[in-house]
Amino acid sequence: MRLGRDRSSNVEDRRGFGVPVVGGGIGAVVIAILFLLFRGTPGQIDVPQQNQPSAGAPAAGADPQADFVSAVLASTETTWHDIFRTEVGRDYNEPKLVLFTDAVQSACGIAQSATGPFYCPEDQKVYLDLGFFRELQDRFQAPGDFARAYVVAHEVGHHVQTLLGITDQVQNARGQGRRGASSLSVRTELQADCFAGVWANHADKMRHILDPGDIESGLNAASAIGDDRLQRQTRGYVTPDSFTHGSSAQRVRWFKQGFNGGHISDCDTFNSPSL
């Protein structure tokens, strides 16, 4: 990837600060389990808010992984500003990205690293433990810069959903019992994959960020973290009714849909008869 020199000012480094225990050992464990059950974009969990130590941006050049994330985030900012102006007719509000280690407290509750990267619509922040990139390479066999960039772009895709009002619509549909919760979750996640593809399309047209093999790297990452593949690895069998993010084939399909089409309108997973 060729990301250039731009870096985002919206990276908040909380690594090393830790998370205060809420309500003692058992309460903290229960909260962590709830987050694991709702991995990805967590639903709101009511926890007491406690003051956090102040955190700032990572020191420039001090950490290659943090620097890479800052560069990818800057690329999403430039790209989505342009898309919102041309397709939505209004400004794009940039999200914050929080780097953490082991556990973190967000406006959606407490999450551990095992939750994986996630977006919290309550505070409009992306949360990422950089250790996930090692897991992506070693456990999921999805190495490469663009595989890591896809992860960031997917979570930013959830932020785009929030800005467009889609997140609220999904929550309302859940509350009214329209469609199953699993179906809504899968369609939400696949749309975020599609938005990641839209970002890649525009970013490459604007700044030629892609090298040969980059898209294949992203597709490999999308396939590696499909629900069917993860269930087969951990359980030995697949139960499609319990999917939360979509199958490998679905995730690949919708990323390609966004990349090939390049428009927000190409990503209407909710009205698509098939996924």
Side-chain angles (χ1 to χ4, degrees), residues 178-243:
R178 297 200 302 270
R179 284 196 178 135
S182 176
S183 175
L184 285 170
S185 176
V186 168
R187 290 174 186 272
T188 300
E189 296 297 333
L190 292 179
Q191 187 177 62
D193 282 332
C194 188
F195 285 160
V198 171
W199 158 74
N201 173 296
H202 280 260
D204 193 48
K205 287 180 179 177
M206 294 168 66
R207 300 201 171 187
H208 307 291
I209 68 168
L210 298 179
D211 286 323
D214 278 344
I215 291 300
E216 289 75 11
S217 174
L219 294 176
N220 182 41
S223 176
I225 53 179
D227 285 328
D228 54 337
R229 186 165 174 178
L230 294 178
Q231 288 184 357
R232 195 172 286 110
Q233 288 176 347
T234 56
R235 304 176 183 175
Y237 61 92
V238 176
T239 53
D241 288 345
S242 66
F243 285 0

Side-chain angles (χ1 to χ4, degrees), residues 18-29:
V19 175
V21 175
V22 181
I26 297 298
V29 170

Side-chain angles (χ1 to χ4, degrees), residues 22 29 56 60 63 79 95 107 109 135 142 146 162 170 175 180 218 221 237 243-244 249-250:
V22 181
V29 170
D63 184 336
T79 302
E135 189 174 13
F146 194 80
T162 295
V170 170
Y237 61 92
F243 285 0
T244 59
Q250 289 170 336

Side-chain angles (χ1 to χ4, degrees), residues 47 67 78 91 105 108 118-119 135 139 173 182 187 213 242 256-257 262:
V47 295
D67 185 69
T78 301
D91 291 335
Q105 183 167 338
C108 296
F118 68 94
Y119 171 75
E135 189 174 13
R139 176 186 170 190
S182 176
R187 290 174 186 272
S242 66
K256 290 172 69 175
Q257 171 103 349

